[in-house]
Amino acid sequence: MGKAVAFHGYKSSPENIDWLIAPLREAGFKVVTPVIRDVDDGYEEGLKELPADVVAGHSMGGTVALLLAARNPGSVKCVIAVASPVDRRLQLQYLLQSEDPYLKKLANNLASLGNKLEQTSPSRFIGNGMPPVLYIRGSEDRVVPRTHVDILAGLSDRFNFPLEVVEIEGMAHSPQREGHVAVVADAVKKFVAKYCAP
């Protein structure tokens, strides 16, 4: 049985990403779901689980997944990131422009990290040996802009790793509707069957 590690988002929990865990289990993986506080902490927890066939995550958890694969070439067969910041400095700049109280709060939390933002940005570490990546986002995501897909696409061209992008029409930062959950599950199963079947 293959092994997958799935990380939840900021101030969330594994129970809230069942829509990501379930399709990985259905695809035949044993899924480990660490409880994490931030990207640093998630990275340390993830290191304990390497090597892994799949590292996956939502939002902050997807940033952790990308970082684990980027900094440990050969230890991860493939990555699934859902609505995840690829460059955390860019994410901070984006959030600082928002008038939304929740996004302003997120911006303050990110700003307090200072130089750690750079040290925990996957874009800084992605290079040769990066495994295939599936990036899923909603067309209505107001938390993480589409720019992060563009950054990843540029890195995919430069370092020649497969990148599949699935943009779900009408979905916000996470899949809430049954239809969106079904699209995520389908994309996850197809991707792992292609690149990292257990």
Side-chain angles (χ1 to χ4, degrees):
M1 184 181 268
K3 178 184 187 180
V5 188
F7 298 96
H8 60 78
Y10 182 64
K11 292 200 169 172
S12 185
S13 67
E15 293 74 39
N16 289 334
I17 56 161
D18 191 57
W19 49 266
L20 180 57
I21 296 164
L24 288 168
R25 283 201 177 120
E26 285 162 25
F29 294 96
K30 174 183 185 265
V31 186
V32 180
T33 55
V35 175
I36 60 173
R37 291 183 307 278
D38 52 37
V39 173
D40 258 350
D41 171 51
Y43 182 79
E44 292 306 316
E45 288 300 311
L47 278 178
K48 296 174 192 170
E49 302 299 339
L50 296 184
D53 295 291
V54 185
V55 286
H58 172 241
S59 196
M60 174 189 81
T63 302
V64 171
L66 287 162
L67 196 60
L68 274 167
R71 292 185 67 177
N72 301 280
S75 297
V76 174
K77 272 196 205 166
C78 60
V79 181
I80 299 166
V82 183
S84 306
V86 177
D87 180 325
R88 298 184 84 208
R89 280 190 184 282
L90 204 70
Q91 180 64 9
L92 172 59
Q93 287 166 16
Y94 169 77
L95 292 173
L96 286 170
Q97 294 164 14
S98 177
E99 292 303 312
D100 182 285
Y102 173 70
L103 296 186
K104 276 186 158 176
K105 195 174 172 188
L106 281 181
N108 290 336
N109 288 333
L110 277 183
S112 71
L113 294 172
N115 287 340
K116 265 196 180 174
L117 278 187
E118 186 131 336
Q119 296 301 322
T120 52
S121 282
S123 58
R124 186 167 180 258
F125 299 97
I126 289 172
N128 293 320
M130 187 69 179
V133 176
L134 168 64
Y135 192 103
I136 301 172
R137 76 178 301 273
S139 66
E140 303 306 309
D141 191 344
R142 299 287 170 255
V143 181
V144 179
R146 198 180 194 288
T147 330
H148 293 267
V149 176
D150 301 334
I151 294 166
L152 207 48
L155 290 164
S156 162
D157 288 344
R158 187 172 162 199
F159 295 110
N160 203 28
F161 61 90
L163 170 65
E164 294 193 5
V165 177
V166 174
E167 188 148 9
I168 301 174
E169 198 53 48
M171 188 175 101
H173 188 56
S174 62
Q176 304 291 334
R177 295 186 212 147
E178 249 177 66
H180 296 158
V181 169
V183 176
V184 170
D186 186 54
V188 166
K189 287 181 199 168
K190 280 181 180 159
F191 177 76
V192 296
K194 186 173 176 181
Y195 291 108
C196 44

